[in-house]
Amino acid sequence: MAEIEQPQIYLITPSEFELSSFPNQLAAVLDAHEIACVRLVQASRDEDRIARAADALREVTHERDVALVIENHILMVERLGLDGVHLSDGSRLVRKTRKTLGDDAIVGAFCGGSRHDGMNAGEAGADYVSFGPVSATDLGDGTIAETELFKWWSEVIEVPVVAEGALTPEAIRTLSPLTDFFGIGEEIWSQDNAVKALEELKAQFVQG
């Protein structure tokens, strides 16, 4: 029987965090777990504040050889020395973003629960496509990225896929054989001990 390849962890920062403490919290998680990538999310529209957050996290991630991407702020990628961008509005800007940032930058696209949008993003040059939320949540419009979508994607499409949003232990058990990455954020940052919380989620991976 072929061994099931374990999914990788893609960390998503809180949309607001304290610069005095969060970089240390992130460093602790990166030191304890193998992390593929970190996504910087910022609710703020203040350029200075975003730049300060990016500088602080870049120091932590690059010291540990972990890629750092920023959500949506395409023009800040090069200026802040980041590795790429995560587009939260599907495939619409993927082609243009790839042209702007070049072949070496990471360009990812969140496509909700839409197979069609995911395929368009992949064809337009996205390095990965993310779908979610994967369980019921009061956030958003009620769309759920069904297990069937991940199953079909893993069988048919070569572009790596990320499962993110409302990741319950049960959802992680179900999706771990079907996804390349889990996009984990509030699931651990809302806990007292993020390192331990991530360990408990990883324990749900289906073993090969």
Side-chain angles (χ1 to χ4, degrees), residues 48-60:
D48 267 1
R49 194 167 171 181
I50 295 169
R52 284 200 303 276
D55 286 344
L57 298 197
R58 188 187 63 240
E59 203 170 302
V60 171

Side-chain angles (χ1 to χ4, degrees), residues 11-18 22 25 39-43 57 184-186 189-190:
L11 279 188
I12 303 165
T13 73
S15 58
E16 292 182 19
F17 54 77
E18 290 294 330
F22 183 73
Q25 199 181 0
R39 181 196 309 166
L40 170 61
V41 182
Q42 286 283 277
L57 298 197
I184 293 176
E186 282 308 308
W189 305 126
S190 61

Side-chain angles (χ1 to χ4, degrees), residues 128-143:
Y128 68 82
V129 167
S130 72
F131 295 116
V134 299
S135 307
T137 169
D138 289 337
L139 301 174
D141 61 4
T143 300

Side-chain angles (χ1 to χ4, degrees), residues 33-69:
H33 296 282
E34 198 169 315
I35 304 297
C37 185
V38 175
R39 181 196 309 166
L40 170 61
V41 182
Q42 286 283 277
S44 172
R45 306 296 296 173
D46 182 298
E47 280 188 41
D48 267 1
R49 194 167 171 181
I50 295 169
R52 284 200 303 276
D55 286 344
L57 298 197
R58 188 187 63 240
E59 203 170 302
V60 171
T61 56
H62 286 188
E63 198 173 278
R64 291 160 178 81
D65 209 22
V66 175
L68 178 64
V69 302

Side-chain angles (χ1 to χ4, degrees), residues 17 50 61 66 94 107 110 135 156 171 184 190-191 198 201-202:
F17 54 77
I50 295 169
T61 56
V66 175
V94 173
V107 177
F110 175 74
S135 307
V156 176
I184 293 176
S190 61
Q191 304 299 308
L198 183 51
L201 289 179
K202 283 169 67 179

Side-chain angles (χ1 to χ4, degrees), residues 23 35 52 66 81 86 91 99 111 131 133 138-139 141 149 158 164 171 188 194 207:
I35 304 297
R52 284 200 303 276
V66 175
H86 173 86
S91 60
K99 201 174 170 185
C111 296
F131 295 116
D138 289 337
L139 301 174
D141 61 4
L149 170 59
E158 288 189 9
E164 66 172 88
I188 64 168
Q207 299 301 312

